[in-house]
Coordinates of all heavy atoms in Angstrom, one line a residue:
F1 N 0.8 -1.2 0.0 CA 0.0 0.0 0.0 C 0.9 1.3 0.0 O 0.6 2.2 -0.7 CB -1.0 0.0 1.2 CG -1.8 1.2 1.3 CD1 -2.8 1.5 0.3 CD2 -1.6 2.2 2.2 CE1 -3.6 2.6 0.4 CE2 -2.3 3.4 2.3 CZ -3.3 3.6 1.4
L2 N 1.9 1.2 0.8 CA 2.9 2.4 0.8 C 3.6 2.5 -0.6 O 3.8 3.6 -1.0 CB 3.9 2.2 1.9 CG 3.4 2.3 3.3 CD1 4.4 2.0 4.4 CD2 2.8 3.7 3.6
M3 N 3.8 1.4 -1.2 CA 4.4 1.5 -2.6 C 3.4 2.2 -3.6 O 3.9 2.9 -4.4 CB 4.7 0.1 -3.1 CG 6.0 -0.5 -2.5 SD 6.2 -2.1 -3.2 CE 7.2 -2.9 -2.0
Y4 N 2.2 1.9 -3.4 CA 1.2 2.5 -4.2 C 1.2 4.0 -4.0 O 1.2 4.8 -5.0 CB -0.2 2.0 -3.9 CG -1.4 2.8 -4.5 CD1 -1.7 2.7 -5.8 CD2 -2.1 3.6 -3.6 CE1 -2.7 3.5 -6.3 CE2 -3.1 4.4 -4.1 CZ -3.4 4.3 -5.5 OH -4.5 5.1 -6.0
L5 N 1.3 4.5 -2.8 CA 1.4 5.9 -2.5 C 2.7 6.5 -3.0 O 2.7 7.6 -3.5 CB 1.3 6.1 -1.0 CG 0.0 5.8 -0.3 CD1 0.1 6.0 1.2 CD2 -1.2 6.6 -0.9
D6 N 3.8 5.7 -2.9 CA 5.1 6.1 -3.4 C 5.0 6.3 -4.9 O 5.5 7.3 -5.5 CB 6.2 5.1 -3.1 CG 6.6 5.0 -1.7 OD1 6.2 6.0 -1.0 OD2 7.2 4.1 -1.3
Y7 N 4.4 5.4 -5.7 CA 4.3 5.5 -7.1 C 3.6 6.8 -7.5 O 4.0 7.6 -8.4 CB 3.6 4.3 -7.7 CG 3.2 4.5 -9.1 CD1 4.2 4.3 -10.1 CD2 1.9 4.8 -9.5 CE1 3.9 4.5 -11.5 CE2 1.6 5.0 -10.9 CZ 2.6 4.8 -11.8 OH 2.3 5.0 -13.1
N8 N 2.5 7.1 -6.8 CA 1.7 8.3 -7.1 C 2.5 9.5 -6.7 O 2.4 10.6 -7.4 CB 0.3 8.3 -6.4 CG -0.6 7.2 -7.0 OD1 -0.7 7.2 -8.2 ND2 -1.2 6.4 -6.2
L9 N 3.2 9.5 -5.6 CA 4.0 10.6 -5.2 C 5.2 10.9 -6.2 O 5.4 12.0 -6.6 CB 4.6 10.4 -3.8 CG 5.5 11.5 -3.3 CD1 4.7 12.9 -3.2 CD2 6.1 11.2 -2.0
V10 N 5.8 9.8 -6.7 CA 6.9 10.0 -7.7 C 6.3 10.6 -8.9 O 6.9 11.6 -9.5 CB 7.6 8.6 -8.0 CG1 8.4 8.7 -9.2 CG2 8.4 8.2 -6.8
Y11 N 5.2 10.1 -9.4 CA 4.5 10.7 -10.6 C 4.2 12.2 -10.4 O 4.4 13.0 -11.3 CB 3.3 9.9 -10.9 CG 2.6 10.3 -12.2 CD1 3.2 10.1 -13.4 CD2 1.4 11.0 -12.1 CE1 2.5 10.5 -14.6 CE2 0.8 11.4 -13.2 CZ 1.3 11.2 -14.5 OH 0.7 11.6 -15.6
A12 N 3.6 12.5 -9.2 CA 3.3 13.9 -8.9 C 4.5 14.8 -8.7 O 4.5 15.9 -9.2 CB 2.4 14.0 -7.7
A13 N 5.5 14.3 -8.1 CA 6.7 15.1 -7.8 C 7.6 15.4 -9.0 O 8.3 16.4 -9.0 CB 7.5 14.5 -6.7
M14 N 7.5 14.6 -10.0 CA 8.4 14.8 -11.1 C 7.7 15.6 -12.3 O 8.3 15.7 -13.3 CB 8.8 13.4 -11.7 CG 9.6 12.6 -10.6 SD 11.0 13.6 -10.0 CE 11.1 13.0 -8.4
K15 N 6.5 16.1 -12.0 CA 5.9 16.9 -13.0 C 6.7 18.3 -13.1 O 7.2 18.8 -12.1 CB 4.5 17.2 -12.7 CG 3.6 16.0 -12.8 CD 2.1 16.4 -12.5 CE 1.2 15.2 -12.5 NZ -0.1 15.5 -12.0
E16 N 6.7 18.8 -14.3 CA 7.4 20.1 -14.4 C 6.6 21.2 -13.8 O 5.3 21.3 -13.9 CB 7.6 20.4 -15.9 CG 8.5 21.6 -16.2 CD 8.8 21.7 -17.7 OE1 9.0 20.7 -18.3 OE2 8.9 22.9 -18.1
G17 N 7.2 22.1 -13.1 CA 6.5 23.2 -12.4 C 5.7 22.8 -11.2 O 4.9 23.6 -10.8
V18 N 6.0 21.7 -10.6 CA 5.2 21.2 -9.5 C 5.6 22.1 -8.3 O 6.7 22.5 -8.1 CB 5.4 19.7 -9.2 CG1 6.8 19.5 -8.7 CG2 4.4 19.2 -8.2
R19 N 4.6 22.4 -7.4 CA 4.8 23.1 -6.2 C 4.4 22.2 -5.0 O 3.6 21.3 -5.2 CB 4.0 24.4 -6.2 CG 4.4 25.4 -7.4 CD 3.7 26.7 -7.3 NE 3.6 27.3 -6.0 CZ 4.5 28.0 -5.4 NH1 5.7 28.2 -6.1 NH2 4.3 28.6 -4.3
F20 N 4.9 22.5 -3.9 CA 4.6 21.7 -2.7 C 3.1 21.9 -2.3 O 2.5 20.9 -1.8 CB 5.5 22.2 -1.5 CG 5.3 21.3 -0.3 CD1 5.8 20.1 -0.2 CD2 4.6 21.8 0.8 CE1 5.6 19.3 0.9 CE2 4.4 21.1 1.9 CZ 4.9 19.8 2.0
E21 N 2.5 23.0 -2.6 CA 1.1 23.2 -2.3 C 0.2 22.5 -3.3 O -1.1 22.5 -3.1 CB 0.8 24.7 -2.3 CG 1.4 25.4 -1.1 CD 2.8 25.8 -1.4 OE1 3.3 25.8 -2.6 OE2 3.5 26.1 -0.4
D22 N 0.7 21.9 -4.4 CA -0.2 21.2 -5.3 C -1.0 20.1 -4.6 O -0.5 19.4 -3.7 CB 0.6 20.6 -6.5 CG 1.1 21.7 -7.4 OD1 0.7 22.8 -7.3 OD2 2.0 21.4 -8.3
H23 N -2.2 19.8 -5.1 CA -3.1 18.8 -4.5 C -2.5 17.4 -4.4 O -2.6 16.8 -3.4 CB -4.4 18.8 -5.3 CG -5.3 17.7 -4.9 ND1 -6.0 17.7 -3.7 CD2 -5.6 16.5 -5.4 CE1 -6.7 16.6 -3.5 NE2 -6.5 15.9 -4.6
D24 N -1.8 17.0 -5.5 CA -1.2 15.6 -5.5 C -0.1 15.5 -4.5 O 0.0 14.4 -3.8 CB -0.7 15.3 -6.9 CG -1.9 15.0 -7.9 OD1 -3.0 14.8 -7.4 OD2 -1.6 15.0 -9.1
I25 N 0.7 16.5 -4.4 CA 1.8 16.4 -3.4 C 1.2 16.4 -2.0 O 1.7 15.6 -1.1 CB 2.8 17.6 -3.5 CG1 3.4 17.6 -4.9 CG2 3.8 17.6 -2.4 CD1 4.4 16.5 -5.2
Q26 N 0.3 17.2 -1.7 CA -0.4 17.2 -0.4 C -1.1 15.9 -0.1 O -1.0 15.4 1.0 CB -1.4 18.4 -0.3 CG -0.8 19.8 -0.4 CD 0.1 20.1 0.8 OE1 -0.4 19.9 1.9 NE2 1.3 20.6 0.5
K27 N -1.7 15.3 -1.1 CA -2.4 14.1 -0.9 C -1.5 12.9 -0.7 O -1.7 12.1 0.3 CB -3.3 13.8 -2.2 CG -4.1 12.5 -2.1 CD -4.9 12.4 -3.4 CE -5.6 11.1 -3.4 NZ -6.4 10.8 -4.6
Y28 N -0.4 12.8 -1.4 CA 0.4 11.6 -1.3 C 1.6 11.8 -0.4 O 2.1 10.8 0.1 CB 0.9 11.2 -2.7 CG -0.2 10.7 -3.6 CD1 -0.6 11.4 -4.7 CD2 -1.0 9.6 -3.2 CE1 -1.6 11.0 -5.5 CE2 -2.0 9.2 -4.0 CZ -2.4 9.9 -5.1 OH -3.4 9.5 -5.9
F29 N 2.0 13.0 -0.1 CA 3.1 13.2 0.8 C 2.6 13.5 2.2 O 2.8 12.7 3.2 CB 4.1 14.3 0.4 CG 5.2 14.5 1.2 CD1 6.3 13.6 1.2 CD2 5.4 15.6 2.1 CE1 7.4 13.7 2.1 CE2 6.4 15.8 2.9 CZ 7.5 14.8 2.9
I30 N 1.9 14.6 2.4 CA 1.3 14.9 3.7 C 0.3 13.9 4.1 O 0.3 13.5 5.3 CB 0.7 16.4 3.7 CG1 1.7 17.4 3.2 CG2 0.1 16.7 5.0 CD1 2.9 17.6 4.1
G31 N -0.5 13.5 3.2 CA -1.6 12.5 3.6 C -0.9 11.2 4.0 O -1.5 10.5 4.9
R32 N 0.2 10.8 3.5 CA 0.9 9.6 3.9 C 1.3 9.6 5.4 O 1.1 8.6 6.1 CB 2.1 9.4 3.0 CG 2.9 8.2 3.4 CD 4.2 8.2 2.6 NE 5.1 7.1 3.1 CZ 5.5 6.1 2.4 NH1 5.1 6.0 1.1 NH2 6.3 5.2 2.9
F33 N 1.7 10.8 5.8 CA 2.1 10.9 7.2 C 0.9 11.2 8.1 O 0.9 10.7 9.3 CB 3.2 12.0 7.4 CG 4.5 11.6 6.7 CD1 4.8 12.1 5.5 CD2 5.4 10.8 7.4 CE1 6.0 11.8 4.9 CE2 6.6 10.4 6.8 CZ 6.9 10.9 5.5
A34 N -0.1 11.9 7.6 CA -1.2 12.3 8.5 C -2.1 11.1 8.7 O -2.5 10.8 9.8 CB -2.0 13.4 7.9
K35 N -2.4 10.4 7.6 CA -3.4 9.3 7.7 C -2.8 7.9 7.9 O -3.3 7.0 8.6 CB -4.2 9.2 6.4 CG -5.1 10.4 6.1 CD -5.9 10.2 4.8 CE -6.7 11.5 4.5 NZ -7.3 11.4 3.2
Y36 N -1.6 7.7 7.3 CA -1.0 6.4 7.3 C 0.4 6.4 7.9 O 1.2 5.5 7.6 CB -0.9 5.8 5.8 CG -2.2 5.9 5.1 CD1 -2.3 6.8 4.0 CD2 -3.3 5.2 5.4 CE1 -3.5 6.9 3.3 CE2 -4.5 5.3 4.7 CZ -4.6 6.2 3.7 OH -5.7 6.3 3.0
G37 N 0.6 7.3 8.8 CA 1.9 7.4 9.5 C 2.3 6.2 10.3 O 3.5 6.0 10.6
F38 N 1.3 5.5 10.7 CA 1.6 4.3 11.6 C 2.1 3.1 10.8 O 2.6 2.2 11.3 CB 0.3 3.9 12.3 CG -0.8 3.4 11.4 CD1 -1.0 2.1 11.2 CD2 -1.7 4.3 10.8 CE1 -2.0 1.6 10.3 CE2 -2.7 3.9 10.0 CZ -2.9 2.6 9.8
L39 N 1.9 3.1 9.4 CA 2.2 1.9 8.6 C 3.7 1.7 8.5 O 4.2 0.6 8.7 CB 1.6 2.0 7.2 CG 0.1 1.8 7.2 CD1 -0.4 2.0 5.7 CD2 -0.3 0.5 7.7
E40 N 4.5 2.8 8.2 CA 5.9 2.7 8.0 C 6.6 2.2 9.3 O 7.4 1.3 9.2 CB 6.5 4.0 7.5 CG 7.9 4.0 7.1 CD 8.1 3.4 5.7 OE1 7.2 3.5 4.9 OE2 9.2 2.8 5.5
P41 N 6.4 2.8 10.4 CA 7.0 2.2 11.6 C 6.6 0.7 11.9 O 7.4 0.0 12.4 CB 6.5 3.1 12.8 CG 6.2 4.4 12.1 CD 5.6 4.0 10.8
M42 N 5.4 0.4 11.6 CA 5.0 -1.0 11.8 C 5.7 -1.9 10.9 O 6.2 -3.0 11.4 CB 3.4 -1.1 11.5 CG 2.9 -2.5 11.8 SD 1.1 -2.5 11.6 CE 0.9 -2.3 9.8
V43 N 5.9 -1.6 9.7 CA 6.7 -2.4 8.7 C 8.1 -2.4 9.1 O 8.8 -3.5 9.1 CB 6.5 -1.9 7.3 CG1 7.5 -2.5 6.3 CG2 5.1 -2.0 6.8

């Protein structure tokens, strides 16, 4: 599941002209830590 989020983050982060405030960055980066922050330490 974290790999799925990683794939989407990589795709969003490598777009030209991307900003940190963009919806995809917020969804897959901030959302990963806010909603799913417990998964990485568990793994």
Side-chain angles (χ1 to χ4, degrees):
F1 178 70
L2 293 173
M3 284 182 201
Y4 167 76
L5 295 176
D6 288 345
Y7 171 77
N8 289 313
L9 179 61
V10 167
Y11 183 72
M14 297 308 148
K15 290 180 183 174
E16 191 171 325
V18 69
R19 297 184 46 81
F20 185 73
E21 291 83 17
D22 288 350
H23 173 71
D24 287 343
I25 299 293
Q26 295 293 311
K27 180 179 176 184
Y28 295 115
F29 183 73
I30 303 293
R32 176 187 174 118
F33 292 100
K35 294 179 185 176
Y36 310 111
F38 65 95
L39 290 177
E40 188 78 26
M42 185 174 69
V43 171

